[in-house]
Amino acid sequence: MADDRLIVALDVSTMDAMKEIVTSLGDSVSFYKVGMELFYAEGAKTIRFLQEQNKQVFLDLKLHDIPNTVRSAMSVLRTFGIDMVTVHAAGGVEMMREAKKVLGDQAKLVAVTQLTSTSEEDMRDCQNIQTTVSESVVNYACKAKEAGLDGVVCSAQEVKLIKAATSEDFLCVTPGIRPAGSEIGDQKRVMTPQEAHQIGSDYIVVGRPITRATDPVAAYRAIKAEWVNG
């Protein structure tokens, strides 16, 4: 049985590659993430295909622009019937509020805080944010909550702090999940599925450890077992 709190990331750039993954995973997976690479390459037909397979769709485009532009973009995205979508918290409260106003309750709107590939050194040097990563993430989460969003995208490392600063029902969607012993790739702030469960993540997002596995179904089931029974 699929677990709709375990989202599989479709980090590919063609419909054929996407269909191969979805077909190979079959009924095991009910929730997929479509990111920029796939959406920019193939467009809304990726979403339609997944919906035809009775899958939920997390559209991860990380909208970040002036409030009017994001509002206009979200008015288009809401017509796709997606289940979850992202904006960047760095866009500010007004931008996030406008996006939520357009989207309403049609889908969950979550704000990206700091990417799980961002180290504290990167953040201080490139963004000139002279706090800890955790402090920056919690601040963004509080601003997302103020704007009326449903939650944030964050590292599992920050979940407890975010819940304490916002509320227990404020969603924490956590990428950067890697099974123990697996390669972390370009991620820096990672956790295992078991650790994410124990720390209170509401959703986990896993891509390459499943989609590039020799046996994707077995990989999914192993991660699901660790996540559910953590």
Side-chain angles (χ1 to χ4, degrees), residues 193-230:
Q194 181 181 32
E195 290 170 330
H197 173 89
Q198 292 170 345
I199 212 162
S201 296
D202 297 290
Y203 295 86
I204 59 173
V205 182
V206 185
R208 287 164 284 190
I210 294 173
T211 60
R212 296 187 184 178
T214 303
D215 186 339
V217 173
Y220 172 87
R221 288 175 177 168
I223 290 171
K224 174 189 170 183
E226 190 178 342
W227 160 239
V228 172
N229 301 320

Coordinates of all heavy atoms in Angstrom, one line a residue, residues 193-230:
P193 N 15.2 8.4 6.8 CA 13.8 8.4 7.0 C 13.4 8.1 8.4 O 12.4 8.7 8.9 CB 13.4 7.2 6.1 CG 14.4 7.1 5.0 CD 15.7 7.5 5.7
Q194 N 14.1 7.3 9.1 CA 13.8 7.0 10.5 C 14.0 8.3 11.4 O 13.1 8.6 12.2 CB 14.7 5.9 11.1 CG 14.5 5.5 12.5 CD 15.4 4.5 13.0 OE1 16.6 4.4 12.6 NE2 14.9 3.6 13.9
E195 N 15.0 9.0 11.1 CA 15.2 10.3 11.9 C 14.2 11.3 11.6 O 13.7 12.0 12.5 CB 16.6 10.8 11.6 CG 17.8 10.0 12.1 CD 19.1 10.5 11.5 OE1 19.2 11.0 10.4 OE2 20.1 10.3 12.2
A196 N 13.7 11.4 10.3 CA 12.7 12.3 9.9 C 11.4 11.9 10.6 O 10.6 12.8 11.0 CB 12.5 12.3 8.4
H197 N 11.1 10.6 10.7 CA 9.9 10.2 11.4 C 9.9 10.6 12.9 O 9.0 11.2 13.4 CB 9.7 8.7 11.3 CG 8.6 8.1 12.2 ND1 7.3 8.0 11.7 CD2 8.6 7.7 13.4 CE1 6.6 7.5 12.6 NE2 7.3 7.3 13.7
Q198 N 11.1 10.3 13.5 CA 11.2 10.6 14.9 C 11.1 12.1 15.3 O 10.7 12.5 16.3 CB 12.5 10.0 15.4 CG 12.5 8.5 15.4 CD 13.9 7.9 15.7 OE1 14.9 8.6 15.7 NE2 13.9 6.6 16.0
I199 N 11.6 12.9 14.3 CA 11.6 14.3 14.6 C 10.3 15.1 14.2 O 10.1 16.2 14.6 CB 12.8 15.0 13.8 CG1 13.4 16.1 14.6 CG2 12.5 15.4 12.4 CD1 14.8 16.5 14.2
G200 N 9.4 14.3 13.5 CA 8.1 14.9 13.3 C 7.8 15.5 11.9 O 6.9 16.2 11.7
S201 N 8.6 15.1 10.9 CA 8.3 15.5 9.5 C 6.9 15.1 9.1 O 6.5 13.9 9.4 CB 9.3 15.0 8.5 OG 10.6 15.5 8.8
D202 N 6.2 15.9 8.4 CA 4.8 15.6 7.9 C 4.9 14.8 6.6 O 4.1 13.9 6.4 CB 4.0 16.8 7.8 CG 3.7 17.5 9.2 OD1 3.0 16.9 10.0 OD2 4.3 18.6 9.4
Y203 N 5.8 15.3 5.8 CA 6.0 14.6 4.5 C 7.5 14.5 4.3 O 8.3 15.4 4.7 CB 5.5 15.4 3.3 CG 4.0 15.6 3.3 CD1 3.3 16.6 4.0 CD2 3.2 14.8 2.5 CE1 2.0 16.8 3.9 CE2 1.8 14.9 2.4 CZ 1.2 15.9 3.2 OH -0.2 16.1 3.1
I204 N 8.0 13.4 3.6 CA 9.4 13.4 3.2 C 9.4 13.3 1.7 O 8.4 12.7 1.1 CB 10.1 12.2 3.8 CG1 9.5 10.9 3.5 CG2 10.3 12.4 5.3 CD1 10.4 9.7 4.0
V205 N 10.4 13.8 1.0 CA 10.6 13.8 -0.4 C 11.9 13.1 -0.7 O 12.9 13.4 -0.3 CB 10.6 15.2 -1.0 CG1 10.8 15.2 -2.5 CG2 9.4 16.0 -0.6
V206 N 11.7 12.0 -1.5 CA 12.9 11.1 -1.8 C 12.9 10.9 -3.4 O 11.9 10.6 -3.9 CB 12.8 9.8 -1.1 CG1 14.1 9.0 -1.4 CG2 12.6 9.9 0.4
G207 N 14.1 11.2 -4.0 CA 14.2 11.0 -5.4 C 15.1 9.9 -5.8 O 14.7 8.7 -5.9
R208 N 16.4 10.2 -6.0 CA 17.4 9.3 -6.5 C 17.5 8.0 -5.8 O 17.7 7.0 -6.4 CB 18.7 10.0 -6.6 CG 18.8 11.1 -7.7 CD 19.9 12.0 -7.6 NE 19.7 13.0 -6.6 CZ 20.4 14.1 -6.4 NH1 21.5 14.3 -7.1 NH2 20.1 15.0 -5.4
P209 N 17.5 7.9 -4.4 CA 17.6 6.6 -3.8 C 16.5 5.6 -4.2 O 16.7 4.4 -4.0 CB 17.5 7.0 -2.3 CG 18.0 8.4 -2.2 CD 17.5 9.1 -3.5
I210 N 15.4 6.2 -4.7 CA 14.3 5.3 -5.2 C 14.4 5.2 -6.7 O 14.5 4.1 -7.3 CB 12.9 5.8 -4.8 CG1 12.8 5.7 -3.3 CG2 11.8 5.0 -5.5 CD1 11.5 6.4 -2.8
T211 N 14.4 6.3 -7.4 CA 14.2 6.3 -8.9 C 15.5 5.7 -9.6 O 15.4 5.2 -10.7 CB 13.9 7.7 -9.4 OG1 15.0 8.6 -9.1 CG2 12.6 8.2 -8.8
R212 N 16.6 5.8 -9.0 CA 17.8 5.3 -9.6 C 18.3 3.9 -9.0 O 19.4 3.4 -9.3 CB 19.0 6.3 -9.5 CG 18.7 7.6 -10.2 CD 19.8 8.5 -10.3 NE 19.5 9.8 -10.9 CZ 20.3 10.8 -11.0 NH1 21.6 10.7 -10.6 NH2 20.0 11.9 -11.6
A213 N 17.4 3.4 -8.2 CA 17.8 2.1 -7.6 C 17.6 0.9 -8.6 O 16.8 1.1 -9.6 CB 16.9 1.8 -6.4
T214 N 18.4 -0.1 -8.4 CA 18.2 -1.3 -9.3 C 16.8 -1.8 -9.3 O 16.3 -2.2 -10.3 CB 19.2 -2.4 -8.9 OG1 20.6 -1.8 -8.9 CG2 19.2 -3.6 -9.8
D215 N 16.2 -1.8 -8.1 CA 14.9 -2.3 -7.9 C 14.1 -1.2 -7.2 O 14.1 -1.1 -5.9 CB 14.8 -3.6 -7.0 CG 13.4 -4.1 -6.9 OD1 12.4 -3.4 -7.1 OD2 13.3 -5.3 -6.6
P216 N 13.5 -0.2 -7.9 CA 12.8 0.9 -7.3 C 11.7 0.6 -6.3 O 11.6 1.2 -5.3 CB 12.3 1.7 -8.5 CG 13.1 1.3 -9.7 CD 13.5 -0.2 -9.4
V217 N 11.0 -0.5 -6.6 CA 9.9 -0.9 -5.7 C 10.4 -1.3 -4.4 O 10.0 -0.9 -3.3 CB 9.0 -2.0 -6.3 CG1 8.0 -2.5 -5.3 CG2 8.3 -1.4 -7.5
A218 N 11.5 -2.1 -4.4 CA 12.1 -2.6 -3.2 C 12.7 -1.4 -2.4 O 12.6 -1.4 -1.2 CB 13.2 -3.6 -3.5
A219 N 13.3 -0.5 -3.1 CA 13.9 0.7 -2.5 C 12.8 1.5 -1.8 O 13.0 2.0 -0.7 CB 14.7 1.5 -3.5
Y220 N 11.7 1.7 -2.5 CA 10.6 2.5 -2.0 C 10.1 1.8 -0.7 O 9.8 2.5 0.3 CB 9.5 2.6 -3.0 CG 8.2 3.2 -2.4 CD1 8.0 4.6 -2.4 CD2 7.2 2.4 -1.9 CE1 6.9 5.2 -1.9 CE2 6.0 3.0 -1.4 CZ 5.9 4.3 -1.4 OH 4.7 4.9 -0.8
R221 N 9.9 0.5 -0.8 CA 9.3 -0.2 0.4 C 10.2 -0.2 1.6 O 9.7 0.0 2.7 CB 9.0 -1.6 0.0 CG 7.8 -1.7 -1.0 CD 7.6 -3.2 -1.4 NE 6.4 -3.3 -2.3 CZ 6.1 -4.3 -3.0 NH1 6.9 -5.4 -3.0 NH2 5.0 -4.3 -3.8
A222 N 11.5 -0.2 1.3 CA 12.5 -0.2 2.4 C 12.5 1.2 3.1 O 12.5 1.3 4.3 CB 13.9 -0.5 1.9
I223 N 12.4 2.3 2.3 CA 12.4 3.6 2.8 C 11.0 3.9 3.6 O 11.0 4.5 4.6 CB 12.6 4.6 1.7 CG1 14.0 4.6 1.2 CG2 12.2 6.1 2.2 CD1 14.3 5.4 0.0
K224 N 10.0 3.4 2.9 CA 8.6 3.5 3.6 C 8.6 2.8 4.9 O 8.1 3.4 5.9 CB 7.6 2.9 2.7 CG 6.2 2.9 3.3 CD 5.2 2.1 2.5 CE 3.9 1.9 3.2 NZ 2.9 1.1 2.5
A225 N 9.1 1.6 5.0 CA 9.2 0.9 6.3 C 9.9 1.6 7.4 O 9.5 1.7 8.5 CB 9.7 -0.5 6.1
E226 N 11.1 2.2 6.9 CA 11.9 3.0 7.9 C 11.2 4.2 8.3 O 11.2 4.6 9.5 CB 13.2 3.3 7.2 CG 14.2 3.9 8.2 CD 15.6 4.2 7.6 OE1 15.8 3.6 6.5 OE2 16.3 5.0 8.1
W227 N 10.5 4.9 7.4 CA 9.7 6.1 7.6 C 8.5 5.9 8.5 O 8.3 6.6 9.5 CB 9.3 6.7 6.3 CG 8.2 7.7 6.2 CD1 7.1 7.6 5.5 CD2 8.1 9.0 6.9 NE1 6.3 8.7 5.7 CE2 6.9 9.6 6.5 CE3 9.0 9.7 7.7 CZ2 6.5 10.8 7.0 CZ3 8.6 10.9 8.2 CH2 7.4 11.5 7.8
V228 N 7.7 4.9 8.2 CA 6.5 4.6 8.9 C 6.8 4.0 10.3 O 6.1 4.4 11.3 CB 5.6 3.6 8.2 CG1 4.4 3.2 9.0 CG2 5.1 4.3 6.9
N229 N 7.8 3.2 10.4 CA 8.0 2.5 11.7 C 9.1 3.1 12.5 O 9.5 2.6 13.6 CB 8.4 1.0 11.4 CG 7.3 0.3 10.7 OD1 6.2 0.5 10.9 ND2 7.7 -0.5 9.7
G230 N 9.7 4.3 12.0 CA 10.8 4.9 12.7 C 10.7 5.1 14.2 O 11.6 5.1 14.9

